[in-house]
Amino acid sequence: MNAFVIAAALAATPAPTPATPAPTPATSPAPPIDSSPVTPPPPVSSGAPISLAQVRSEGRQNVQAIQALLDVAVANENVNLSRASLLPQISLDSSAGKIWFGRRQEFITVPDPANPGQFIRNAVETPSTSTQNYDLGMSLTQVIYDRARWKQLEQSGVVRDAQKDQAREEADTSELEAIRRFFTLYRTQATLGVLKATVERSEQQVERAQALFQAGRMGRNEEITAQVNLGTDRINYTSTLGQLVADQTQLAVWLARPGTEALSAEDPGVLTTEPPPAPSINEALASARVNRPLLKALQLRIRAAELQQSIARSEYLPRLVAQGLYNRGGPDATLVFTEPRLQNRFSAAVGLNWDLFTGLSTPASTRRAEADTRKAQLNLEQAAREIEGEVRAAHRRLEAQLEAARLAAQNAEAAALGLTVQEQRFRAGVGSTLDVRDAQLSLTRAELALLENRIDVEIARYTLLRAMGALSPGESK
């Protein structure tokens, strides 16, 4: 059987209790130390079970990922706003009011009776008057040609697509963090299993030491040492329970669950299976260049910056707008609102607006857009270099962890064999509790190292997948 599988099974299965040697009747040992039952270590709280697949799904709905999706929704509405400026604009206006005129003097031109054919101006004073004023109108405005607005619509669509890729990048980041916290919790749970097995082995060692002491084959010191070792192992087990609660809380909070919810990581099956090899570095790099959402988002940012240049240059071109007006007005509400055949006025016009000189703002805006385009290109180039380095580092880390896990499995197998030998020597009366204890500690350390490295293999694998842009392909994106 593969050394890794043997070591993993040893880490999960407590050692069997050996038969206790019968005491020799002729021996009269000294009274043993107090061997009353000691309170066993508290059990591991179960909590609500949660699988790795469930964690990955909920991880993509993390608060940060949802905020990125809200940014996508905002960008989509920006597209609608840009489109709205190109659609017909219709407005309806209505008003009712009254105008008051005070007493005033006016001059009127009349024929001069003294000089036929001539005219004179007479001053006439009019009394104060008032008149009512009613108005009902509708206007229609339609952009015929405005290059800037068309480019703004295209740009808002590109920005929206870039934000979608940015949201995928954020979702991948959130999912990877959820995976890491899941495996951290599972590692703590498995560590408790290893420590519990160590406690059980120490309890068995205490029983052997007591039996051999009562049989007169060993001194009391061996029994005392075994009791102290058992207490130390129980302390280690109990101390790890606090870490379990901390890991449960961190996972629950990241999944947007109540911080008081106790979670139990279901066995993902990684401790009893041989880890698959890492993909080739060339395959990993090629996948990152094609699938990494961040690179796609930065490429679209460059396109958005190029469109901003087109928007700035559009100020050199004229704009053409058509407008139509329909209006009804008069001093009587009945005429305006109830007599459709009267008081009607229509007008239509096509307007051309061309900014011939804008105080040199147009070339300044163009140069600024060109600088933003260059910055976007530099950001893409730098991100591509960083992602290549990220993939290379993650790939090497996975390869190193795979080798470390293989060596840890061999160590665990050897440590298990060493403990078996020392226990047999102790039962035969030629070994000491110290020898057994050293073998127990070696096995515990080897099992914990195997557990640590095997979990690190999975974390390194998912880290590489995230760097490659292959963490959650297809429909999950």
Side-chain angles (χ1 to χ4, degrees):
M1 184 181 293
N2 182 272
F4 171 76
V5 177
I6 294 176
L10 288 172
T13 306
T17 305
T20 303
T24 304
T27 306
S28 300
I33 61 174
D34 182 12
S35 59
S36 58
V38 182
T39 303
V44 181
S45 58
S46 57
I50 187 169
S51 66
L52 177 59
Q54 189 176 356
V55 165
R56 295 183 65 180
S57 177
E58 293 187 27
R60 299 188 74 83
Q61 300 301 318
N62 171 266
V63 172
Q64 296 181 7
I66 293 176
Q67 289 176 339
L69 290 177
L70 291 175
D71 290 337
V72 174
V74 171
N76 190 62
E77 295 307 319
N78 288 338
V79 174
N80 294 332
L81 290 174
S82 298
R83 183 181 294 111
S85 64
L86 293 170
L87 297 177
Q89 310 293 311
I90 301 176
S91 63
L92 176 67
D93 299 307
S94 178
S95 64
K98 193 172 185 178
I99 303 175
W100 287 270
F101 297 94
R103 293 179 62 86
R104 62 190 183 277
Q105 189 179 69
E106 296 179 354
F107 290 90
I108 62 174
T109 302
V110 297
D112 186 358
N115 299 298
Q118 300 295 320
F119 296 88
I120 60 173
R121 297 180 63 195
N122 292 334
V124 178
E125 185 173 316
T126 60
S128 60
T129 59
S130 64
T131 181
Q132 294 178 335
N133 183 43
Y134 299 93
D135 187 78
L136 177 64
M138 179 179 293
S139 65
L140 169 65
T141 304
Q142 173 63 60
V143 174
I144 299 177
Y145 177 78
D146 190 336
R147 178 180 172 82
R149 295 192 183 187
W150 283 105
K151 291 299 180 180
Q152 285 170 354
L153 175 59
E154 183 179 356
Q155 182 190 49
S156 60
V158 171
V159 171
R160 176 198 57 195
D161 294 340
Q163 193 60 51
K164 288 181 179 179
D165 288 319
Q166 189 67 45
R168 295 188 188 104
E169 179 80 9
E170 188 59 45
D172 283 352
T173 302
S174 297
E175 180 182 349
L176 178 62
E177 179 62 18
I179 292 172
R180 188 193 67 79
R181 297 190 184 202
F182 171 85
F183 277 110
T184 299
L185 173 59
Y186 180 71
R187 176 167 49 200
T188 302
Q189 292 175 187
T191 299
L192 285 170
V194 172
L195 295 178
K196 184 178 180 181
T198 302
V199 170
E200 292 173 353
R201 286 193 291 263
S202 295
E203 290 173 344
Q204 296 165 9
Q205 182 64 16
V206 169
E207 294 174 359
R208 297 189 198 104
Q210 290 175 348
L212 292 174
F213 172 69
Q214 293 172 2
R217 297 171 59 185
M218 282 193 174
R220 171 184 271 184
N221 182 62
E222 299 294 335
E223 182 184 0
I224 296 174
T225 302
Q227 288 280 8
V228 172
N229 292 338
L230 174 60
T232 301
D233 293 337
R234 284 175 171 167
I235 290 173
N236 292 336
Y237 177 88
T238 304
S239 300
T240 308
L241 291 175
Q243 183 61 44
L244 176 68
V245 174
D247 294 339
Q248 289 174 332
T249 300
Q250 290 180 359
L251 178 59
V253 169
W254 189 257
L255 299 181
R257 295 191 177 199
T260 56
E261 182 175 358
L263 297 175
S264 176
E266 294 182 354
D267 185 3
V270 298
L271 296 183
T272 55
T273 58
E274 186 77 17
S280 67
I281 182 62
N282 291 333
E283 179 185 352
L285 289 172
S287 176
R289 295 186 184 106
V290 174
N291 299 321
R292 187 67 183 265
L294 179 59
L295 293 180
K296 296 180 180 180
L298 292 177
Q299 290 169 355
L300 290 172
R301 297 291 182 188
I302 293 177
R303 178 56 184 158
E306 291 172 347
L307 288 171
Q308 185 60 41
Q309 295 183 46
S310 298
I311 293 172
R313 295 192 185 103
S314 298
E315 296 298 324
Y316 290 118
L317 301 176
R319 296 176 292 278
L320 199 60
V321 177
Q323 187 176 41
L325 282 175
Y326 168 69
N327 179 264
R328 295 171 55 81
D332 191 303
T334 302
L335 291 175
V336 174
F337 298 108
T338 64
E339 291 290 342
R341 65 184 182 84
L342 301 175
Q343 313 299 118
N344 295 305
R345 185 176 61 184
F346 299 91
S347 65
V350 175
L352 175 68
N353 180 270
W354 196 347
D355 297 327
L356 298 179
F357 181 73
T358 58
L360 301 179
S361 64
T362 300
S365 299
T366 303
R367 290 191 297 270
R368 183 175 62 182
E370 291 172 351
D372 289 339
T373 301
R374 182 54 183 156
K375 287 171 59 179
Q377 293 171 344
L378 292 174
N379 288 337
L380 175 61
E381 294 169 1
Q382 181 63 22
R385 289 189 289 267
E386 291 176 353
I387 287 175
E388 288 178 350
E390 180 184 349
V391 170
R392 181 173 179 272
H395 184 270
R396 184 65 189 93
R397 190 179 305 115
L398 176 57
E399 290 183 330
Q401 287 301 147
L402 286 169
E403 178 64 15
R406 185 186 66 82
L407 296 174
Q410 295 177 354
N411 285 347
E413 184 178 4
L417 179 60
L419 177 59
T420 300
V421 171
Q422 292 300 330
E423 287 177 340
Q424 292 174 350
R425 285 172 50 82
F426 184 82
R427 286 194 293 269
V430 295
S432 66
T433 300
L434 181 59
D435 295 332
V436 176
R437 178 60 175 176
D438 288 342
Q440 288 178 341
L441 291 177
S442 295
L443 177 57
T444 299
R445 285 193 294 266
E447 289 176 340
L448 292 177
L450 172 59
L451 174 63
E452 183 82 16
N453 283 281
R454 188 60 185 89
I455 295 298
D456 286 343
V457 166
E458 295 306 309
I459 295 177
R461 186 180 305 280
Y462 282 108
T463 301
L464 176 59
L465 290 174
R466 184 257 185 281
M468 294 167 54
L471 184 61
S472 294
E475 292 298 326
S476 62
K477 284 193 176 183

